[in-house]
Amino acid sequence: MFSDDLIALALKLLSCSQKDLASDLNVSPTQISKWKRGEYMSQDMEELIRQKLGIGDLNPSFILLAGSVDNTAKWQKLISYMAGLAAEYTETGYVTAPLVEETEFLACEIIQLFVDMGVKIPDQFPSELDIDFDDDENDGDIDGLLDNNQYTIAIKKIFNALNDVYGFYVAYVDDLMMNDSLELYDTDAVNIEPRLLFLAATKVDMDISFAPKFREFVFQTNNEYTGWINTVKNKAFQAGIPLRAELLNLVHKRHDELGHEAEAESLGINNNRIHPDIYMNEILTGIRLIHQVLPKIMEKLEIDDFVVDNSDLRL
């Protein structure tokens, strides 16, 4: 729980100053300032503020992004419904956990994702999407509505891509992340799984007029993932652990290609297969290092007549 967002929301919804809020909560104005900077807030204090704001268990960050408590509840309901639909159609052989677990967090991520891509979040929730998803009589209308709204079209594409991206992650990366000997949880690679929704979004066709910052978003996300995945590869290389797929495919391949690779792994088709190019970059890096260091070593040892015997290099 981030105290800064809860305090920002309290100041907004209560339309009060920090001094007024401090008095209402019976704390010092200095304490309000500390919470605004993200300092730890006790659970009792959090519950007290939530009660005063009447937000229940809703995520304060989500409310700030959505614009109001009412908007947040409606986005939450819509996105949770769409996540359930997408989860039913995964074909990778793996469960897409973000679509079936903690859907409130997923809904907040979708809105944050839209903001990062430059999508304008409407001041009021789209009235045509304000549907009772629990009413069976609406089933025939819902699909048509979801396929004719720019927000739900984008969400549907992203969730479909997430099925494939997450399947590849579980098939080829998750075991490495769980390998204590690699100590990956002490590196930036820990960001790989939490940000898979954002990576999935880079693999869909997005209307630039709808998401004007999309290209910048793709560039930044791919750069981040390239660094994180190379960390995993380097750790595995140093530990002598073979990989069954090129992990950078997460960045470079289309989501449907990733889904096919994940499905093949789930069916056992890729068992014990070692990709021939997995460590090619690491090998080339090692060769370049030797090429730079060896002349210095030879100069230090005053060796100037060394000749390579190619016959010793043949198998």
Side-chain angles (χ1 to χ4, degrees), residues 19 31 92 114 143 225 241 278 294 304:
K19 183 178 180 180
Q31 184 60 63
T92 63
F114 279 162
D143 289 343
Y225 262 91
I241 298 176
I278 290 302
L294 188 57
D304 56 9

Side-chain angles (χ1 to χ4, degrees), residues 142-172:
I142 291 176
D143 289 343
L145 290 171
L146 298 182
D147 289 337
N148 285 283
N149 178 279
Q150 58 185 349
Y151 294 99
T152 52
I153 289 172
I155 294 170
K156 186 175 182 179
K157 289 179 180 179
I158 293 168
F159 282 170
N160 287 340
L162 180 62
N163 274 328
D164 293 329
V165 169
Y166 195 85
F168 185 95
Y169 170 82
V170 174
Y172 298 111

Side-chain angles (χ1 to χ4, degrees), residues 42-281:
S42 71
Q43 185 174 348
D44 288 344
M45 181 57 68
E46 178 186 340
E47 290 178 355
L48 174 62
I49 297 175
R50 284 180 173 276
Q51 183 178 5
K52 287 181 178 295
L53 300 181
I55 63 173
D57 294 330
L58 290 175
N59 186 328
S61 305
F62 192 0
I63 299 172
L64 288 170
L65 290 171
S68 71
V69 174
D70 186 54
N71 284 352
T72 301
K74 291 176 179 178
W75 280 115
Q76 168 68 45
K77 194 169 185 179
L78 169 67
I79 293 171
S80 295
Y81 176 81
M82 295 189 68
L85 289 181
E88 293 179 5
Y89 292 103
T90 180
E91 297 178 350
T92 63
Y94 299 96
V95 174
T96 308
L99 295 178
V100 296
E101 301 172 1
E102 300 181 6
T103 53
E104 178 182 336
F105 181 69
L106 179 67
C108 182
E109 277 197 315
I110 282 288
I111 301 301
Q112 181 62 64
L113 177 58
F114 279 162
V115 171
D116 290 351
M117 294 191 298
V119 175
K120 174 69 170 64
I121 307 301
D123 294 332
Q124 296 296 324
F125 184 80
S127 58
E128 69 272 20
L129 298 176
D130 193 0
I131 310 164
D132 183 0
F133 294 104
D134 297 324
D135 188 346
D136 293 339
E137 294 183 2
N138 289 329
D139 287 349
D141 301 326
I142 291 176
D143 289 343
L145 290 171
L146 298 182
D147 289 337
N148 285 283
N149 178 279
Q150 58 185 349
Y151 294 99
T152 52
I153 289 172
I155 294 170
K156 186 175 182 179
K157 289 179 180 179
I158 293 168
F159 282 170
N160 287 340
L162 180 62
N163 274 328
D164 293 329
V165 169
Y166 195 85
F168 185 95
Y169 170 82
V170 174
Y172 298 111
V173 185
D174 188 49
D175 284 347
L176 296 170
M177 296 301 303
M178 299 297 291
N179 189 325
D180 292 336
S181 67
L182 297 184
E183 298 181 340
L184 288 166
Y185 281 95
D186 294 327
T187 72
D188 287 342
V190 295
N191 294 301
I192 293 176
E193 183 177 9
R195 298 282 292 181
L196 286 175
L197 179 73
F198 291 74
L199 181 63
T202 68
K203 299 183 181 299
V204 304
D205 295 326
M206 197 68 65
D207 186 344
I208 298 302
S209 64
F210 172 67
K213 296 181 181 178
F214 182 65
R215 292 192 182 94
E216 296 93 325
F217 166 79
V218 171
F219 179 80
Q220 180 179 342
T221 302
N222 285 348
N223 272 353
E224 290 174 344
Y225 262 91
T226 297
W228 300 338
I229 292 170
N230 275 328
T231 295
V232 176
K233 289 186 63 178
N234 290 336
K235 288 279 190 177
F237 177 68
Q238 293 165 12
I241 298 176
L243 308 178
R244 295 188 304 275
E246 170 53 72
L247 304 189
L248 283 171
N249 286 349
L250 262 176
V251 176
H252 301 307
K253 283 198 171 184
R254 301 192 313 267
H255 72 82
D256 57 323
E257 293 176 313
L258 297 177
H260 292 325
E261 287 195 49
E263 184 180 17
E265 181 68 16
S266 72
L267 294 173
I269 297 173
N270 289 345
N271 280 351
N272 301 318
R273 187 192 74 172
I274 300 177
H275 195 286
D277 299 327
I278 290 302
Y279 292 126
M280 185 57 66
N281 183 65

